[in-house]
Amino acid sequence: MTSTLTPPRTTARPARGGFGRLLHAEWTKFRTVRGWVWSAVGAVLIICLVGLLATAAGNESDPDGGSALPVGPGGEAVNDSFYFVHQKLRGDGSITVSVSSLAGAVTTDPDDSGSGLAPWAKAGVIVKDGLDQGSSYAAMMVTGSHGVRMQYDYTHDRAGMTGAASREAPRWLRLQRTGDTLTGYQSADGAKWTEVGHADLSGLSATPEVGLFVTSPSVEEETGTGTGFAPAVATGTFDRVTLGGRWTGGSWRNDQVGRDAGTSASYSQDAKGGATPSGDGFAVTGAGDIAPVVGGPATSGVRTIENFLVGTFAGLIIMVVVGAGCVTVEYRRGMIGLTLAASPRRGRVLVAKGLVVGSVALAVGVVSAAVMVPFGGRRSEANGFPVLTVPTATELRVIVGTGLLLAAASVFALAVGALLRRSAVAVTMVVVGMVLPYLLATASVLPDGASQWLLRVTPAAGFAIQQSIERYDQVVTVYAPSSGYFPLAPWAGLAVLGAYAAVSFAAAVVLLRRRDA
Amino acid sequence: MEKTIDGSDARIEVRGVHKHFGSNQALDGMTFDVRPGQITGFVGPNGAGKSTTMRVILGLDRPDRGTALVGGRRYQDLRTPLTHIGALLDAAAVQPSRTARHHLLWLAHSQGLGAGRVDEVIRKVGLQDVARRKAGGFSLGMRQRLGIAVALLGDPPVVMLDEPFNGLDPEGFRWMRGFLASLAGQGRAVLVSSHLMSELQDSADHVVVVGRGKVVADMSVRELLASVSRGRVTLRTSALARAMTVLASSGATVSSTGSDTISVTELPAENVVSLLSRHAVPFSEISEHRASLEEAYMELTRDAVRYRGVVPEEAGR
């Protein structure tokens, strides 16, 4: 022993080193409890297992329906099925037509079909890169009840004049190619033209297919059990087909683009696609759609990548138990005193814990989603279900988002655990507040209004980050939680969960600092 | 190889600490020092505020008033606190599913220490055979050793142990006593609490006796004994009246405790014998009774309780 007095040592140390030690300690704590490590592994397994079980069934009604859906220029799955009267035309030019009627027939049951026109039945002119499904195009069209539209490359839709086409009030449509630019014009009389819009289709073939098309998606109908969709066909009457510019007419050919009517429509026994010349035009009948594929009942027999991730909620419950447990166990065992004696800066202790638990949950989510998204897709196609492919960026967002969803939920649980200091209560609160609303809202237990409301204001909003399917105004389906559509955009939904986690975490830090340990 | 202990680091200073829980005034101006190179016993009945004081020293409980400094610094200003003070507050504070070694390992990592130091302290407390077993299966004695290992992990100049003798078998008891002595011998400041003075009387150099949240005695063990042990001599005699007169006239306090027994205080036994012999007073039996530390402690804390009992009345006036 020395009794010499030394000058007081300075307390200044690099702050980062201090937090690094804390992080190291919390990580050691986590990895040395076998139950937690196995829980994380178990969470991955259960997410995959539930996903596999939920998508195990083979497609019995259409065993070879597993052919992949066409993919549009933007990387999204599309329907590209229509009846096409066309010819190949080189260079710049224009096509002009007058549409004098668009009528539809709906098959409400196998033996009966009545008149009825889908709101988004389409008849018009189109310039398309080729006959392959999913190829680039621009089109001017008359629709069932949305007036004149210019649409191109599946996801783009621009409105023209309103009102239906009739013999008394035909709609004149024109598409003009100048280089890669396609410009759409409309007219009520064939004399006075206005531009509806233009599309830049870079890389459009020098000799695209140009012509007339008709297509019709299924028609939404209310049944006793909810919203159903009945197959429909549409017939459009085209007059005064005129080619202009350097385009000079050859012979017209008739083709059905797509093997059948696609996922959003179908031909019935007595309604087939076809075209008959009439005067200086054609009457063309077709079914299908030229539009992105959406979820819900409009698209039967199609799997989306979120179908492979339905087990996420089970893995999430496990990570919630781990998150709450890793702080409440310290209170139950009196270890919190030791932890805070070793690291007196209490806010940092909670931050380190949150980082460790959150990172583990993030890894659990990313790993299981990275396995299930491609694996579930291949398996579904092998079982006869087409998969709604989405752009790679969307796929990455769903995979990383699944990790962030689990991370936010586990940190939320940790914060609630630190506030309440009781594991059972904390886990119950988070599960009832987050998982229950999600299950109720997505399993069509509640009316749509209530589901939408729950998925806006509860932490369950975070599940929106897993939604891969898009909402399109020009495609009709049931845009409701029960068909995979969340009321909030993906990142906005995750932000709601993040806000819950952040507010409870801040409260937990304040309380931990203030309270005697 | 232990580091050299710096005397200025090896001390605890507790100054005027008040702490209440609800209506219960747990600490009421607790003030004392723990000095290097000796074992300071921290004694008082259950509920006297020993554990609360230790929790305040470790920054776990926030005092209403007053300060507690470790090596001259507030606990929350210590960046690697376990290298300044090692404490054992609750031997049961382990996660049952974690092994003893891993329990020490996370603590080591929190202080920037490595696994090597963990294995060192495991050997030091004799847990090497069970270090890789889950702490949940440990006996109380094994947990106490694990708690001591935690306290020693940072090789701190101050060691503070709450009731370390609890649940120890005689072998463990002997080991603990030797261990504490060696820590003090290395120049460390050692604070050991107990609700039984008997556990401390052979090991502590200094005692801080507390009752009802404040210090009632703060002195070396020798001083404590001297202050309260007025040697009491019991005498059996057939000449009771004469003996009392003789002894009383020489300044002793005398009282008769039976028809032929007298109790004498404030006069050592040898003086009683020589006095009685000089005056030819017959006696058949004499015994001297030295006050034990335990009795001294009982007396002190009884006073504290009595004193405290008056306060509410005064406050009520």
Side-chain angles (χ1 to χ4, degrees), chain A residues 1-15 18 20-22 24-36 325-326 329-330 332-346 348 512-517, chain B residues 3-9 19-21 36-37 55 58-63 73 75-84 87 90 92-99 102-103 105-107 109-113 134 150 157 184-188:
Chain A
M1 172 192 166
T2 63
S3 54
T4 44
L5 287 169
T6 54
R9 280 177 293 186
T10 168
T11 53
R13 275 174 192 265
R21 287 195 298 265
L22 192 46
H24 191 186
E26 288 299 331
W27 168 242
T28 305
K29 256 189 211 173
F30 187 92
R31 71 173 173 82
T32 55
V33 173
R34 211 169 288 171
W36 291 341
C326 77
V329 72
E330 297 217 8
R332 190 164 73 249
R333 302 289 172 187
M335 242 174 65
I336 190 75
L338 202 48
T339 296
L340 297 181
S343 314
R345 289 190 282 181
R346 299 181 176 186
R348 292 162 156 248
L512 182 65
R513 281 204 186 126
R514 195 173 293 169
R515 226 158 31 187
D516 288 332
Chain B
K3 71 176 175 197
T4 333
I5 306 296
D6 184 326
S8 65
D9 290 333
K19 174 76 187 174
H20 74 279
F21 298 106
R55 292 173 56 80
L58 292 179
L60 297 178
D61 286 357
R62 183 194 303 245
R73 283 190 251 158
Y75 194 86
Q76 54 267 46
D77 294 335
L78 303 173
R79 285 295 162 259
T80 50
L82 303 194
T83 62
H84 296 267
D90 177 8
V94 292
Q95 192 159 346
S97 54
R98 199 178 274 129
T99 67
H102 284 148
H103 179 67
L105 194 61
W106 75 256
L107 279 159
H109 287 159
S110 75
Q111 308 299 304
L113 303 168
K134 290 184 177 175
V150 169
Q186 289 156 2
R188 294 175 215 267

Side-chain angles (χ1 to χ4, degrees), chain A residues 4-103:
Chain A
T4 44
L5 287 169
T6 54
R9 280 177 293 186
T10 168
T11 53
R13 275 174 192 265
R16 184 120 197 311
F19 189 68
R21 287 195 298 265
L22 192 46
L23 212 51
H24 191 186
E26 288 299 331
W27 168 242
T28 305
K29 256 189 211 173
F30 187 92
R31 71 173 173 82
T32 55
V33 173
R34 211 169 288 171
W36 291 341
V37 176
W38 282 114
S39 293
V41 174
V44 173
L45 294 179
I46 201 157
I47 292 174
C48 295
L49 200 68
V50 173
L52 290 177
L53 289 176
T55 56
N59 190 347
E60 284 166 15
S61 62
D62 185 12
D64 41 57
S67 55
L69 295 172
V71 175
E76 67 287 317
V78 297
N79 274 310
D80 195 8
S81 301
F82 57 97
Y83 203 82
F84 197 14
V85 177
H86 62 101
Q87 54 184 297
K88 247 185 205 321
L89 291 171
R90 175 174 297 278
D92 293 346
S94 70
I95 179 169
T96 305
V97 76
S98 146
V99 180
S100 57
S101 86
L102 178 59

Side-chain angles (χ1 to χ4, degrees), chain A residues 147-162:
Chain A
V148 171
R149 319 291 288 199
M150 176 171 183
Q151 295 187 350
Y152 60 95
D153 282 357
Y154 307 93
T155 56
H156 303 276
D157 172 44
R158 179 162 297 178
M161 68 176 90
T162 55

Side-chain angles (χ1 to χ4, degrees), chain A residues 178-199:
Chain A
T178 312
D180 282 350
T181 302
L182 275 296
T183 311
Y185 300 93
Q186 62 184 1
S187 171
D189 52 13
K192 214 172 82 201
W193 292 89
T194 53
E195 183 183 325
V196 179
H198 67 270

Side-chain angles (χ1 to χ4, degrees), chain A residues 436-512:
Chain A
L436 193 63
Y438 165 73
L439 293 177
L440 289 177
T442 54
S444 10
V445 177
L446 298 174
D448 280 348
S451 298
Q452 307 248 9
W453 183 81
L454 279 180
L455 292 178
R456 277 176 203 278
V457 301
T458 68
F463 281 97
I465 196 71
Q466 291 190 309
Q467 179 185 321
S468 75
I469 48 180
E470 297 266 348
R471 178 188 298 261
Y472 293 101
D473 290 339
Q474 71 271 34
V475 188
V476 173
T477 187
V478 179
Y479 289 107
S482 53
S483 48
Y485 284 93
F486 286 79
L488 295 177
W491 291 103
L494 189 66
V496 170
L497 171 61
Y500 272 96
V503 168
S504 0
F505 197 85
V509 168
V510 168
L511 217 57
L512 182 65

